[in-house]
Amino acid sequence: MSITLHYANLSQDVSTLSGLRADARWFDSSGTWLIELASGPGLRDLRAKLLDAAVMLDKEPASVRALCIVTSEKVTMERLSADLALVRNVLQPEVAGRVYVGRCMNSGEGVMLESGVPTALADVVTNVVQRQALARRRAPGGTAIDVLGLLIRAWFDLRAPLMVKEIQEEVGASHPTVAGVIEQLAKQGVLERSSDRRVTLAKFPIDEWPHWLVTNIKART
């Protein structure tokens, strides 16, 4: 969920030349930093964020760097550094050296940053984590039915394929909720995935339609 913040040196523009959106953008005299937040305590989401960051940086000027933060106090910096080293090995050299990691508590406090990251970013990370948590609490809490409804409407409207993050933002649903719907539709053979991990319906989900219709009627009643 990308958020709009009013903070010294923290830009409201989170779009990138790759078409992906960062969670936040911070800049100083040395260049620009894209900030991505990964949930913990597992590292699967971090690896996905690192790859997203690499895709963004590949289209950005060389002065732009990316910081991926794990919001979990259970993950050590040693583990993060080891995971980052594995990812860096498969990235292009001109991108690998511009991706960094850090961690903080779920509250946004206790920020720890990899060597080479400006210390000023610690306060920025706390601000971003806390604002994003507030935005999630204010979100309506989209359900699997809401996710399916969005995909159906997008199919009718001939919209371009959507990123998981875009679906989350539009319906206020969690990543596991969106991922669950996508996997269910994929098993039914009604979902198309693009090479950049965007998804769209391949055809009308006739098996899911009655359940979606009944649930929405009950909700409106």
Side-chain angles (χ1 to χ4, degrees):
M1 179 184 295
S2 299
I3 49 179
T4 299
L5 297 168
H6 300 283
Y7 191 88
N9 297 334
L10 193 62
S11 174
Q12 299 179 22
D13 179 15
V14 291
S15 61
T16 67
L17 296 176
S18 68
L20 299 180
R21 291 167 61 85
D23 289 319
R25 181 194 299 267
W26 182 82
F27 52 93
D28 68 0
S29 58
S30 65
T32 297
W33 287 82
L34 303 175
I35 302 172
E36 285 282 273
L37 302 181
S39 59
L43 295 178
R44 178 179 298 179
D45 192 36
L46 171 66
R47 292 164 191 150
K49 290 290 187 178
L50 288 171
L51 293 177
D52 281 349
V55 171
M56 295 180 201
L57 293 177
D58 187 49
K59 301 293 185 181
E60 296 289 327
S63 60
V64 179
R65 290 162 288 176
L67 173 63
C68 295
I69 293 290
V70 174
T71 53
S72 171
E73 54 193 286
K74 297 181 180 180
V75 181
T76 65
M77 284 299 297
E78 291 75 15
R79 179 68 188 279
L80 289 179
S81 297
D83 230 54
L84 176 59
L86 293 175
V87 174
R88 277 176 170 164
N89 285 337
V90 299
L91 295 179
Q92 297 179 5
E94 58 269 24
V95 172
R98 295 157 58 198
V99 183
Y100 297 80
V101 293
R103 50 142 289 193
C104 68
M105 296 184 290
N106 290 330
S107 63
E109 303 293 337
V111 179
M112 299 182 68
L113 302 172
E114 182 184 2
S115 176
V117 179
T119 55
L121 269 172
D123 288 338
V124 175
V125 167
T126 298
N127 187 289
V128 173
V129 171
Q130 292 177 349
R131 293 294 186 93
Q132 193 172 88
L134 179 61
R136 283 197 300 268
R137 288 197 294 271
R138 290 175 174 172
T143 65
I145 293 298
D146 297 321
V147 174
L148 178 61
L150 172 61
L151 291 172
I152 291 175
R153 291 193 299 273
W155 183 75
F156 276 125
D157 294 339
L158 301 179
R159 286 182 61 178
L162 300 168
M163 295 288 293
V164 170
K165 182 181 289 188
E166 292 175 318
I167 299 173
Q168 286 182 251
E169 292 177 353
E170 289 201 35
V171 303
S174 67
H175 184 278
T177 297
V178 176
V181 174
I182 289 173
E183 289 305 315
Q184 182 176 355
L185 293 173
K187 289 178 181 178
Q188 295 175 2
V190 297
L191 190 83
E192 285 185 357
R193 301 176 191 262
S194 59
S195 58
D196 59 354
R197 296 188 295 174
R198 296 175 184 269
V199 297
T200 186
L201 290 177
K203 58 183 179 180
F204 189 78
I206 190 65
D207 292 338
E208 292 294 329
W209 172 252
H211 176 58
W212 181 85
L213 188 60
V214 170
T215 303
N216 272 273
I217 291 174
K218 288 181 177 179
R220 291 179 181 180
T221 302

